[in-house]
């Protein structure tokens, strides 16, 4: 295989960035923009020894799972890598991916997986599910204010106010802001010169409460004529919080550290299940609240609590799972590396009147082993947990942590994962050390993207 060679390729899989993957005579090719099930004509753009990259020239035979994309710029934007795949086929792909990783990396047999895997939990309406959106603000060639998204890996803005994953009110808000800026000659930030005022607009929406937050990220300390903007924005039904965030740094980080209130309060409120959360512009909050409720509901079900248990929730973020569990357990300990997230977790416990949750700031792989060692020293016996829940980032759990978890001998371990490859690796370790996988269920938190979450229950042998 050589560069510039033209080929016909049948696409059999989807890569980590949504690209199509096919094989020709055993040689693997990654084909951007090709969809699983397509037969395409492509030209090789880069040829390595065992694999290469190709550019699609045309679709010879379209995948039977191709659907009309909802958003004309789906591919360009990079957010929706597989929007052109029917939702059923997306769910099928995600299930197979989890299954494949558990088999290949975890070493579980197909018979075993068939017996523990439950059908993927998808969405009824796989669009408009995001409760948070961040839009960059810029200027087009004619000097007009535009907003949309960055094209590919550049910082050039492609104008687009409609996003199929966001809520509808986003468009109304963006239009008000763009018109206000044009009419009042408020400048947009220019990254090359580092001049201009408005950098980004953050919008958050509470799915259960209908409360809306708008935060303008600005390269300055003040927001001129903001009362005119506030006048319009505050008339939108549900508007609760209008703020600005000062970010004067030359950086890709969107939000600044300080928040100033222009109108209303500094946060919105929303619920996951019956637990209430206060969400400020800087808070972390799960972006798909509908699926989060299902995923964490599943974690709760797997935890099998009866009211007397001691539970650890590792990588607890703002305590979403911890507070869910606390309602059914005797005591919940949460551990999280980001101090602000723990501030939010403690505050959320307080506003819900939850008193049996305690939170620690630190690395899970340090906090738990230290707690274990300290406990043994003080009490002369081993620290015990009935249930341990983990919800780590993509890299999965540190082995030091898994080692301590096993020493604590919890009856059940509930593993919530956003990367089934590292999940498979960690399950293998746990199964070699006295645990058995009982239930596995993928949950589709991010329709139209290649990402998938998985909940898994392990039981002590
Ligand atoms: N269940 C949480 C989200 C978990 S996402 C919620 O709903 O809020 C994974 C979390 O792990 C993130 O909040 C991240 O900051 C945290 N994290 C990353 N590395 C960590 C580590 N080594 N120890 C503890 N927490 C960590």
């Amino acid at each position: 295989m050589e560069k510039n060679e033209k080929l016909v390729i049948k696409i059999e899989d989807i890569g980590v960035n949504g690209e199509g993957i096919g094989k020709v005579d055993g040689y693997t090719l990654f084909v951007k923009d090709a969809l699983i099930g397509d037969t395409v004509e492509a030209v090789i753009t880069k040829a390595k020894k065992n694999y290469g990259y190709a550019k699609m020239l045309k679709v010879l035979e379209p995948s039977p799972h191709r659907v009309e994309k909802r958003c004309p710029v789906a591919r360009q934007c990079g957010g929706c890598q597989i929007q052109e795949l029917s939702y059923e086929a997306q769910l099928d792909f995600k299930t197979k991916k989890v299954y494949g990783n558990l088999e290949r990396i975890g070493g579980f047999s197909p018979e075993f997986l068939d017996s523990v895997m439950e059908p993927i939990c998808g969405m009824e309406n796989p669009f408009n599910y995001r409760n948070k959106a961040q839009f960059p603000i810029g200027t087009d060639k004619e000097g007009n204010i535009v907003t949309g998204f960055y094209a590919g890996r550049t910082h050039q803005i492609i104008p687009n106010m409609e996003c199929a994953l966001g809520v509808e009110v986003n468009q109304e808000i963006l239009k008000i802001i763009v018109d206000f800026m044009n009419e009042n000659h408020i400048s947009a930030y220019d990254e090359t010169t580092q001049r201009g005022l408005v950098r980004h607009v953050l919008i958050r929406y509470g799915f259960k409460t209908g409360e809306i937050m708008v935060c303008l990220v600005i390269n300055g300390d003040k927001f001129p004529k903001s009362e005119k903007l506030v006048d319009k924005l505050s008339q939108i039904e549900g508007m609760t919080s209008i703020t600005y965030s000062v970010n004067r740094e030359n950086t890709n980080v969107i939000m600044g550290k300080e928040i100033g209130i222009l109108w209303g309060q500094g946060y919105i409120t929303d619920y996951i299940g019956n637990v209430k959360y206060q969400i400020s512009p800087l808070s972390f909050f799960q972006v798909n609240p509908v699926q989060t409720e299902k995923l964490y509901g599943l974690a709760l079900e797997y935890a099998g609590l009866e009211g007397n248990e001691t539970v650890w929730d590792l990588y607890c973020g703002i305590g979403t799972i911890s507070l869910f569990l606390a309602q059914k357990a005797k005591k919940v300990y949460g551990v999280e590396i980001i101090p602000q997230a723990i501030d939010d977790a403690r505050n959320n416990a307080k506003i819900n009147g939850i008193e049996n949750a305690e939170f620690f700031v630190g690395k899970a792989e340090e906090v738990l082993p230290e707690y274990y060692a300290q406990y043994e020293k003080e009490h002369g016996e081993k620290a015990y947990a009935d249930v341990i829940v983990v919800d780590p980032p993509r890299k999965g759990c540190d082995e030091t942590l898994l080692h301590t978890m096993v020493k604590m001998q919890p009856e059940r371990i509930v593993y919530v994962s956003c990367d089934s490859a590292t999940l498979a690796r960690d399950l293998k370790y746990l199964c070699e050390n006295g645990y058995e996988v009982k239930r596995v269920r993928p949950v589709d938190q991010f329709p139209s993207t290649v990402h998938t979450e998985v909940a898994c229950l392990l039981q002590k042998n």
Side-chain angles (χ1 to χ4, degrees):
M1 301 286 165
E2 281 174 15
K3 189 173 169 179
N4 295 329
E5 198 175 326
K6 276 190 193 170
L7 300 159
V8 171
I9 311 167
K10 170 108 178 128
I11 304 299
E12 316 261 5
D13 202 357
I14 304 175
V16 287
N17 295 311
E19 70 280 19
I21 303 176
K23 277 193 176 163
V24 177
D25 300 332
Y27 185 81
T28 302
L29 282 153
F30 296 90
V31 192
K32 200 169 159 262
D33 296 343
L35 212 57
I36 193 166
D38 281 343
T39 300
V40 302
E41 186 184 22
V43 57
I44 297 184
T45 52
K46 199 174 189 180
K48 301 246 186 185
K49 192 157 170 269
N50 300 315
Y51 65 95
Y53 299 90
K55 195 173 108 189
M56 184 167 84
L57 298 173
K58 65 172 178 247
V59 179
L60 298 175
E61 204 182 304
S63 163
H65 309 297
R66 256 187 192 273
V67 292
E68 195 63 41
K69 53 186 177 187
R70 212 31 100 108
C71 175
V73 289
R75 284 275 182 194
Q76 270 171 294
C77 142
C80 289
Q81 304 125 330
I82 52 172
Q83 201 187 93
E84 287 161 289
L85 200 58
S86 74
Y87 191 50
E88 213 173 75
Q90 288 183 27
L91 293 178
D92 188 49
F93 154 71
K94 293 183 184 191
T95 305
K96 286 188 178 135
K97 186 166 170 175
V98 173
Y99 196 102
N101 279 335
L102 291 178
E103 188 184 346
R104 215 163 23 84
I105 303 169
F108 300 100
S109 73
E111 298 73 41
F112 178 75
L113 291 173
D114 286 340
S115 74
V116 293
M117 265 192 65
E118 297 164 24
I120 186 165
C121 174
M123 293 195 81
E124 221 164 279
N125 167 24
F127 291 100
N128 309 108
Y129 61 78
R130 284 187 65 100
N131 59 9
K132 173 183 166 183
Q134 286 166 317
F135 293 91
I137 303 282
T139 314
D140 68 8
K141 287 200 187 82
E142 283 79 49
N144 299 310
I145 300 294
V146 288
T147 183
F149 57 87
Y150 293 131
R153 285 179 196 142
T154 74
H155 271 195
Q156 184 204 338
I157 296 176
I158 308 250
N160 179 52
M161 295 199 203
E162 292 167 47
C163 165
L165 302 192
V167 290
E168 266 169 30
V169 76
N170 288 347
Q171 286 176 56
E172 191 184 342
I173 293 168
L174 291 174
K175 188 160 183 318
I176 290 174
I177 292 170
V178 167
D179 288 350
F180 160 80
M181 289 179 66
N182 279 323
E183 282 161 21
N184 293 282
H185 310 288
I186 306 285
S187 57
Y189 180 67
D190 178 338
E191 281 182 322
T192 48
T193 62
Q194 290 164 50
R195 298 217 172 157
L197 187 68
V198 184
R199 300 172 69 128
H200 270 88
V201 174
L202 161 77
I203 305 172
R204 296 185 115 155
Y205 176 74
F207 271 61
K208 292 239 170 105
T209 57
E211 294 183 4
I212 301 167
M213 162 194 294
V214 176
C215 179
L216 295 121
V217 183
I218 57 173
N219 172 43
D221 300 324
K222 278 207 242 32
F223 200 100
K225 302 184 191 162
S226 64
E227 62 295 340
K228 284 193 187 177
L229 178 62
V230 161
D231 247 7
K232 295 234 164 77
L233 287 178
S234 59
Q235 280 169 34
I236 296 175
E237 197 189 328
M239 189 59 66
T240 305
S241 167
I242 306 175
T243 57
Y244 65 93
S245 165
V246 177
N247 184 356
R248 311 189 76 156
E249 308 283 312
N250 180 15
T251 166
N252 282 339
V253 176
I254 294 177
M255 302 298 294
K257 293 187 180 82
E258 295 162 54
I259 303 289
I261 296 180
L262 294 173
W263 182 85
Q265 56 192 44
Y267 60 88
I268 60 168
T269 304
D270 202 17
Y271 288 82
I272 292 183
N274 59 351
V275 182
K276 185 156 91 176
Y277 298 88
Q278 276 177 0
I279 310 149
S280 73
L282 298 177
S283 306
F284 169 85
F285 194 64
Q286 292 284 346
V287 295
N288 183 340
V290 172
Q291 292 301 93
T292 297
E293 192 164 323
K294 293 185 196 164
L295 179 65
Y296 292 173
L298 205 57
L300 182 62
E301 185 188 325
Y302 285 2
L305 302 177
E306 286 175 349
N308 256 322
E309 296 84 354
T310 300
V311 184
W312 284 79
D313 176 19
L314 306 171
Y315 310 89
C316 71
I318 59 163
T320 322
I321 300 180
S322 320
L323 300 182
F324 244 58
L325 299 170
Q327 301 177 93
K328 299 267 168 71
K330 188 169 91 193
K331 179 87 195 191
V332 176
Y333 297 100
V335 183
E336 159 66 41
I337 197 167
I338 297 180
Q340 293 91 323
I342 290 292
D343 290 343
D344 282 342
R346 288 183 181 136
N347 185 48
N348 289 327
K350 200 161 116 199
I351 62 172
N352 286 284
I354 294 173
E355 289 175 349
N356 58 339
E358 195 176 322
F359 296 97
F360 302 97
V361 179
K363 291 184 179 171
E365 64 272 25
E366 290 175 4
V367 172
L368 197 68
E370 277 162 23
Y371 175 90
Y372 183 85
Q374 190 65 26
Y375 192 94
E376 204 166 22
K377 230 193 264 166
E378 279 174 18
H379 299 82
E381 57 182 82
K382 286 180 181 176
Y384 178 77
D386 296 280
V387 180
I388 296 181
V389 179
V390 294
D391 184 8
R394 285 193 200 152
K395 67 172 193 224
C397 297
D398 200 279
E399 205 173 298
T400 331
L401 173 66
L402 294 175
H403 182 69
T404 307
M405 282 164 60
V406 167
K407 279 203 289 195
M408 285 173 79
Q409 296 277 299
E411 236 5 85
R412 288 178 291 287
I413 294 173
V414 179
Y415 197 131
V416 179
S417 158
C418 55
D419 185 328
S420 55
T422 54
L423 169 71
R425 178 201 66 201
D426 293 348
L427 291 185
K428 185 164 189 242
Y429 179 95
L430 292 168
C431 290
E432 284 164 358
N433 288 281
Y435 283 82
E436 195 181 343
V437 173
K438 287 291 180 192
R439 296 174 72 178
V440 180
R441 184 160 195 197
V443 177
D444 190 21
Q445 292 270 88
F446 308 108
S448 285
T449 79
V450 294
H451 303 292
T452 189
E453 301 264 329
V454 190
C456 177
L457 168 65
L458 295 112
Q459 180 100 37
K460 191 170 77 180
N461 273 339

